Amino acid sequence: MRAVVQNDKNRSSCGARVRGGIAVLAVAAVASGCAQDGGQEVRPAAGQPRLKSSEARALDSYATKLRTAYAARARAARYWGLKQVPLTAPPPPLHKPHITARRGFEVDDQEELGLPPVFTTVPTRQKVVFLTIDDGAEKDRAFLRMMNQLKIPYSAFLSNFLVKDDYAYFRDMQSKGVTLNNHTLTHPYLPGLSYARQKHEICGMQEIMKRQFGKAPTVFRPPFGNYNHDTLRAAKSCGIRYAPIWDEEVFVDHWEYREDDRDLHPGDIVLTHFRGRAEWKGTMVDDMRRFLNKVTAEGYAVARLEDYL
């Protein structure tokens, strides 16, 4: 299935020196954090312009924050049994990529009616992937701690019949920056329903999410990744703008792939589920360990899907 810090004669040169200094210090900060175990100090390159004391203090404070943040993530990575510290995603793009339906995933009059596109990958050259988690059956507090300590962004797609017994769990998740999206009321096979029933499933969940979580989302995932023309018409009528599905799916003990090359690609959307030992041979923490070890080893950072939409 498919879908940082930067280096400004007169007023502008001062800004350039600051930004350039930040870039060097940022690299030095992260490098020094990485070199702590080796015990070898990493120094900035020579030849940098002299900074005013106020600039120097600001840069030193910024570098200290970077080192502190990296050290905290490194400790968390060790605690949760990861092989490497997860990579930090670049800043969200200033100009959002143009999202269209994946070829072969369109429906009749897709563009003419402005229907939400179904896609498996976000168009980007950055080595980022997007983690999405479906339904809401398992409410694993250790998973929440793990993802919060590691600062890993993800998007949740919720079905009401599975989350209604513990809305507070998902409010806690939302308070930590996670976007909660629509996955219908009862997780049915939507193409088997009439337009009216599909609209009830999607709009009904919109109403519940607004009531329980403060806002109705603009992102929706059809259950099982199955949809038809009526699904997307109904979704649009409910305020949905995007209908992402996925390019890879990770389980606690294996991965599954949509593409024949069985590999990750920049911008891929990865699916997993809120599951535990009742259905899997492991926990959500085990699932995330498998996911993070693979994406980090292949040089990918995890970014927030909604930042690119």
Side-chain angles (χ1 to χ4, degrees):
M1 309 181 206
R2 276 212 56 148
V4 205
V5 188
Q6 303 174 0
N7 274 2
D8 292 207
K9 244 170 177 180
N10 299 327
R11 178 179 179 129
S12 63
S13 87
C14 176
R17 291 198 304 272
V18 172
R19 286 194 293 274
I22 286 176
V24 173
L25 278 174
V27 172
V30 173
S32 64
C34 295
Q36 284 174 358
D37 292 339
Q40 189 172 18
E41 183 180 1
V42 179
R43 298 181 178 275
Q48 298 174 57
R50 292 182 177 274
L51 298 177
K52 297 177 182 177
S53 60
S54 59
E55 294 171 340
R57 283 195 299 271
L59 291 172
D60 182 64
S61 175
Y62 182 71
T64 298
K65 289 179 181 178
L66 285 176
R67 285 194 298 268
T68 301
Y70 180 86
R73 295 181 79 223
R75 286 194 300 270
R78 289 193 295 269
Y79 178 83
W80 295 106
L82 301 184
K83 295 178 180 178
Q84 296 175 266
V85 181
L87 300 174
T88 300
L94 293 177
H95 303 287
K96 309 296 186 186
H98 179 54
I99 306 292
T100 59
R102 176 173 168 158
R103 180 175 294 184
F105 288 58
E106 312 95 330
V107 297
D108 291 343
D109 302 320
Q110 174 87 47
E111 293 188 6
E112 293 83 347
L113 295 176
L115 300 179
V118 175
F119 55 102
T120 64
T121 299
V122 172
T124 180
R125 294 182 179 179
Q126 296 177 321
K127 287 197 74 172
V128 296
V129 294
F130 305 99
L131 175 62
T132 63
I133 311 181
D134 277 11
D135 61 46
E138 182 76 7
K139 287 84 172 174
D140 186 337
R141 294 284 170 183
F143 160 78
L144 289 186
R145 293 195 303 274
M146 177 188 195
M147 302 302 271
N148 187 50
Q149 291 171 13
L150 291 167
K151 306 304 178 191
I152 304 298
Y154 58 100
S155 304
F157 289 80
L158 306 181
S159 291
N160 190 56
F161 84 110
L162 292 170
V163 305
K164 63 183 181 182
D165 63 331
D166 195 355
Y167 289 128
Y169 176 84
F170 299 96
R171 290 194 197 102
D172 187 11
M173 185 182 293
Q174 184 183 42
S175 74
K176 294 175 170 61
V178 177
T179 304
L180 307 181
N181 295 311
N182 189 325
H183 200 42
T184 71
L185 291 170
T186 66
H187 206 276
Y189 174 71
L190 289 174
L193 304 181
S194 67
Y195 172 81
R197 290 181 64 192
Q198 292 197 53
K199 184 175 179 179
H200 171 70
E201 283 284 339
I202 302 168
C203 288
M205 190 59 186
Q206 291 288 84
E207 293 170 5
I208 286 173
M209 296 195 76
K210 185 173 183 179
R211 183 164 66 247
Q212 295 294 335
F213 308 117
K215 63 183 296 185
T218 59
V219 183
F220 156 74
R221 172 173 285 160
F224 315 107
N226 295 130
Y227 61 95
N228 60 13
H229 189 272
D230 282 349
T231 308
L232 301 186
R233 281 203 307 126
K236 181 182 178 182
S237 76
C238 301
I240 297 298
R241 297 179 57 200
Y242 301 98
I245 49 175
W246 59 91
D247 207 54
E248 294 88 20
E249 182 171 3
V250 60
F251 296 84
V252 72
D253 56 353
H254 71 285
W255 282 68
E256 293 184 359
Y257 301 86
R258 183 183 296 274
E259 313 305 334
D260 290 339
D261 62 6
R262 298 179 58 80
D263 203 359
L264 294 171
H265 317 89
D268 276 358
I269 299 170
V270 180
L271 164 68
T272 193
H273 288 81
F274 291 97
R275 293 287 188 270
R277 293 191 182 278
E279 298 179 64
W280 281 352
K281 296 177 181 178
T283 66
M284 290 192 69
V285 169
D286 298 326
D287 185 43
M288 288 299 96
R289 189 179 297 114
R290 173 177 285 276
F291 166 74
L292 290 169
N293 281 339
K294 178 178 175 64
V295 300
T296 306
E298 297 193 14
Y300 284 88
V302 184
R304 189 185 315 280
L305 175 62
E306 293 78 12
D307 288 342
Y308 286 69
L309 302 183

